[in-house]
Amino acid sequence: MTDPRSTERAEIAAIHEVAKILTSTQNLDRALGTALRTLQSFLGFDRTAIFRPDETTREIRMEIAAGYTAEQRERGRYVWGEGIVGKTMKTGSPIALPDVRKEPSFLDKTRSHGASAGEGPISYLCVPIKIGAETLGVLTAERIGRTGTQGLESDARTLAVVGCLIGQALKLHKAIGRLQDEFRRQRQEFDKTIRKTYRIENIVGQSKRMQEVFAAVTSVAASRATVLLRGESGTGKEMIARAIHQGGARADQPFVAVNCAALPETLLESELFGHKRGAFTGAVEERKGRFEEAAGGTIFLDEVGDIPLSTQVKLLRVLQERKFERLGENRPVPVDVRIIAATNADLEKMVAGGTFREDLYYRLNVIPVFLPPLRDRREDILPLTEHFLERFNREHGKSVAFGKDALELLLEYRWTGNVRELENLVERAVVMAKAPVVQAQDLPRAIRVSASLPAVGSYGQPLAPQASVAASATEPPHPAAPQEGRPRAEVLKAMEREELQGALSSAGWVIARAAKILGWTPRQVAYKMKKHGLSSPWKK
Ligand SMILES: Nc1ncnc2c1ncn2[C@@H]1O[C@H](COP(=O)(O)OP(=O)(O)O)[C@@H](O)[C@H]1O
Ligand SMILES: [Mg+2]
C-alpha cells in the first residue's frame, strides 16, 4: 500500500485541478472530459465515466468517458434503477465495491469487464452528481487488479467531492444556457419590432430630394461600402442608416448605434473597441466593444465629427485594415462590420482647421448621402403629418385630425428641429386634443407666432417666399406679440425666450424633457438657455 499522506496529497491535487478545469471554460462537455482524464492521471483510475439521464426518455447514458472505447461507451445505457448506475441515479446514494464482479446487480453493460477477468479484483465506485436533493447524474471510476478497503474509502471520498463540483458546474451551465436562450429570444423580438419600424415603406418623402435619398439607399444597401449621412439633427439620418442596414444582406445581423458625442474620450474608446481588465482606472471588468458587438452587421457612428483626434487614428485603422485593438491589449482583432457614419458638422471645415483627419474624412466619405432640412422640402410636411397622425392616433387610441388653418401653419413654420420636431408636435397635439379637429390656436405658440411674422424666420433668417401667410384673425393677442416700433429680431428673441421658459418650467427644468416638448435636441435647449440667460431655479 502507498503512503497514506502521499495518497492524500494526490487527492487534494486532483480535486484542486478538477475544480480549476470546471470553472475555466464555457464548453462544459470538453471540461468534463478533461476532468475525467485528470482523475485518471492523478489518482490512477483505469476507467472513469459520467452518466446523465436523457431529459425525455429518462434513459441513463454514458455521456463522457475516459478509458472506454467508443463502442463500450455506446453500450453504456441503463433504465432508471437498473444496474449499479441506475440504482445510484434512483437512490442518490454512493456505492463502493471492492470487486465489482462479485456484485449480483452488476450488469457489465459496456462489456468491458470480460477481457480483464483474469486480472484480479476490479474495484468500482459509483457516486451521485447532486445539487441539493436532486441527482443530475452519476460519476463512476474503477481500478483493475487492486483492492484494499482503505484505498476504496479514500477513492469514495474524493469522488464524492468531485461529484459535487460537477453538480455545481452542470447547474451553472444550465442557468447560463437559460439566460442565453432568453437573451436570444428577446433580441429576436426586438429585432422584429425594429425591422417593422424601419422598413423603408415607413419612411415618408415625396419630395424630389427625398426620392433621391431613397434611390441612394436602395443602391448602396446591398454593398458593404461606407456611407456618410449628412444633415441637420432630426432630418432622419439614423432612420436612413437603419434602412440601409435592413435593405442589405446583413439585415439579420446586429445594427449597433453609437453616439460619439455622448462620451468623453477614454470612455468613447473603450465603448468602441472594448478593454481588458485594468486597462485604465475603473476598468474592473473586461468589456466587449461596440465594434465586436456589431460583428457581421452594421455599426452606426452618430456625430462622427465629435470624435477626438486620438480616437480618429484608431477608427481610421478599422476602416483601412478592418482591425482594431482593445484598450490595454496590443493584439489586433479582425472585425467584419459595415460602417455608416452621420454628422451635422462641417467636416470639410474641420479638415481645413486640423480638427478632423483628412485621411479619415476620405475613408468615411465614400458614399455621401445628404438629408435636406424639412424647410427645404415643404412638400413632405403634409405627408409626414398624415403619417404621424395615423401612427399616434393608433398608439393613443384616438382619431384626431388637423384643421385647414392648423395645416397651413405647419406648412409655413421653419422646423429647425426638422422631422423630429414635427413628429413631437403631432404626438403632443394628438395626446392633448379635446376635440376631433386640432385648430391653429391649439398649436404651440412658437408655430403660430413665427408664421404671423412676415419674411423673417424665428432665427432671423429669411423664410422661403411661400411661407409668409397671415395668422388666423381669431388669434388672441399675447404679451409677446409683435409691437409697433420694436425691431422684429428683438420681438422674436423675446418670444423664443418665453417659449423656452414656458417649456422648461412645465418640464420641471429637466432639459431632456423640455427638449421633448419643444421638439429640439437637448443640446439646442442648453444652448438657448445660455443665450437667453436662463438657468434652473433649483440650482444655486
Ligand atoms: N422621412 C421620414 N419619415 C418618417 N419618419 C421620419 C422621417 N425622417 C425622420 N423621421 C423620424 O424623425 C425622428 C428623427 O429622425 P432621426 O433619424 O433620429 O434623425 P437624425 O438622426 O438625423 O437626428 C425619428 O423619430 C424618425 O423616425
Ligand atoms: Mg440623430
Side-chain angles (χ1 to χ4, degrees):
M1 199 74 252
T2 39
D3 171 12
R5 264 171 316 171
S6 78
T7 311
E8 218 163 88
R9 269 202 299 275
E11 279 170 25
I12 292 169
I15 289 169
H16 180 230
E17 198 58 27
V18 167
K20 242 177 22 196
I21 292 161
L22 292 178
T23 50
S24 70
T25 168
Q26 292 252 352
N27 184 334
L28 185 66
D29 281 357
R30 192 182 313 150
L32 292 176
T34 314
L36 292 188
R37 283 189 298 278
T38 304
L39 290 179
Q40 273 188 310
S41 61
F42 276 59
L43 301 176
F45 288 116
D46 292 284
R47 288 192 275 252
T48 54
I50 291 170
F51 295 77
R52 266 185 295 187
D54 184 286
E55 279 193 6
T56 45
T57 64
R58 294 231 296 175
E59 183 186 53
I60 303 151
R61 282 198 220 154
M62 187 187 283
E63 286 200 343
I64 321 273
Y68 292 91
T69 66
E71 295 85 59
Q72 289 170 341
R73 208 185 96 190
E74 188 48 38
R75 286 194 291 265
R77 294 159 179 257
Y78 302 79
V79 295
W80 212 256
E82 181 192 28
I84 300 171
V85 168
K87 213 193 273 175
T88 300
M89 189 71 220
K90 189 177 169 187
T91 60
S93 316
I95 295 174
L97 303 168
D99 189 356
V100 71
R101 286 171 307 172
K102 297 205 179 112
E103 169 62 36
S105 65
F106 177 62
L107 301 170
D108 192 19
K109 279 221 166 185
T110 60
R111 283 184 245 137
S112 52
H113 299 87
S116 45
E119 294 168 28
I122 302 177
S123 69
Y124 189 90
L125 290 140
C126 186
V127 301
I129 294 170
K130 258 182 157 173
I131 278 287
E134 189 193 0
T135 306
L136 304 174
V138 165
L139 169 67
T140 64
E142 55 189 277
R143 293 181 194 283
I144 300 169
R146 269 162 291 161
T147 41
T149 38
Q150 202 188 8
L152 195 64
E153 260 167 39
S154 68
D155 278 351
R157 206 167 50 214
T158 314
L159 282 194
V161 176
V162 172
C164 284
L165 290 176
I166 293 176
Q168 292 290 346
L170 289 179
K171 184 181 168 191
L172 195 64
H173 191 75
K174 218 165 152 181
I176 291 172
R178 259 202 309 271
L179 278 177
Q180 278 174 337
D181 285 350
E182 177 60 16
F183 181 70
R184 216 169 293 138
R185 198 190 56 74
Q186 283 187 1
R187 202 178 115 185
Q188 275 167 359
E189 279 296 298
F190 181 70
D191 281 355
K192 244 194 274 164
T193 329
I194 290 279
R195 218 166 300 156
K196 254 194 251 148
T197 320
Y198 288 96
R199 268 180 323 176
I200 199 148
E201 297 98 273
N202 279 329
I203 307 183
V204 178
Q206 310 203 326
S207 59
K208 189 162 164 287
R209 303 195 53 186
M210 282 309 282
Q211 291 297 321
E212 282 165 13
V213 170
F214 297 158
V217 168
T218 319
S219 68
V220 301
S223 77
R224 202 182 74 166
T226 302
V227 177
L228 179 62
L229 299 168
R230 313 280 300 253
E232 292 178 10
S233 178
T235 49
K237 297 186 295 294
E238 178 156 354
M239 186 178 207
I240 292 297
R242 287 184 192 272
I244 293 173
H245 173 75
Q246 283 311 321
R250 297 165 173 254
D252 293 336
Q253 303 294 321
F255 175 92
V256 173
V258 188
N259 184 343
C260 303
L263 294 167
E265 190 167 334
T266 38
L267 288 185
L268 176 63
E269 283 200 11
S270 89
E271 176 83 7
L272 290 175
F273 306 115
H275 62 245
K276 251 188 70 169
R277 242 177 89 182
F280 53 87
T281 333
V284 275
E285 291 289 333
E286 185 170 293
R287 188 181 187 289
K288 230 183 180 182
R290 308 284 273 164
F291 269 100
E292 269 175 286
E293 275 172 24
T298 305
I299 191 164
F300 174 58
L301 301 173
D302 203 0
E303 315 269 14
V304 77
D306 284 39
I307 295 188
L309 276 166
S310 60
T311 314
Q312 288 177 26
V313 188
K314 302 192 176 173
L315 181 58
L316 179 68
R317 175 145 188 236
V318 181
L319 280 153
Q320 281 174 332
E321 301 171 29
R322 301 276 156 191
K323 269 184 206 142
F324 67 92
E325 277 164 21
R326 294 189 193 101
L327 255 68
E329 230 176 53
N330 44 13
R331 187 168 54 87
V333 182
V335 67
D336 166 36
V337 280
R338 173 182 210 157
I339 296 172
I340 300 180
T343 184
N344 183 29
D346 187 344
L347 288 186
E348 291 74 14
K349 199 165 147 196
M350 290 178 71
V351 168
T355 52
F356 202 84
R357 293 181 66 108
E358 191 174 12
D359 42 13
L360 178 60
Y361 170 75
Y362 285 114
R363 285 279 176 180
L364 287 175
N365 201 28
V366 182
I367 299 171
V369 175
F370 183 74
L371 283 146
L374 189 54
R375 63 185 165 278
D376 290 349
R377 44 177 168 117
R378 290 188 184 269
E379 58 274 48
D380 287 342
I381 295 177
L382 291 184
L384 279 167
T385 306
E386 241 344 276
H387 170 76
F388 291 136
L389 261 179
E390 196 264 326
R391 178 173 132 208
F392 292 122
N393 272 326
R394 185 164 22 89
E395 278 179 23
H396 298 289
K398 289 198 155 189
S399 55
V400 175
F402 277 102
K404 187 166 165 290
D405 52 350
L407 290 174
E408 269 166 19
L409 286 187
L410 299 187
L411 279 170
E412 289 150 24
Y413 183 57
R414 264 188 79 68
W415 300 114
T416 42
N418 293 297
V419 185
R420 182 180 292 113
E421 187 178 9
L422 175 60
E423 184 179 23
N424 290 335
L425 175 130
V426 175
E427 177 163 30
R428 190 162 67 139
V430 168
V431 171
M432 309 281 270
K434 304 242 168 4
V437 179
V438 175
Q439 307 290 357
Q441 73 257 24
D442 303 324
L443 296 178
R445 179 170 295 168
I447 289 180
R448 290 180 284 148
V449 159
S450 76
S452 70
L453 292 165
V456 175
S458 46
Y459 300 94
Q461 293 143 301
L463 276 180
Q466 77 270 28
S468 47
V469 173
S472 123
T474 58
E475 177 82 342
H478 53 75
Q483 287 154 24
E484 217 53 74
R486 244 176 111 190
R488 195 178 287 123
E490 206 179 290
V491 175
L492 280 170
K493 197 173 161 192
M495 281 189 281
E496 189 184 71
R497 186 178 201 276
E498 200 200 335
E499 181 75 15
L500 180 62
Q501 191 160 24
L504 280 165
S505 66
S506 63
W509 291 82
V510 177
I511 291 184
R513 230 183 279 160
K516 220 161 172 205
I517 293 175
L518 293 162
W520 298 351
T521 64
R523 207 189 286 209
Q524 282 172 320
V525 173
Y527 167 77
K528 289 198 175 130
M529 282 172 74
K530 218 159 139 195
K531 172 174 146 192
H532 292 292
L534 291 172
S535 63
S536 164
W538 317 117
K539 247 188 230 158
K540 284 276 152 303

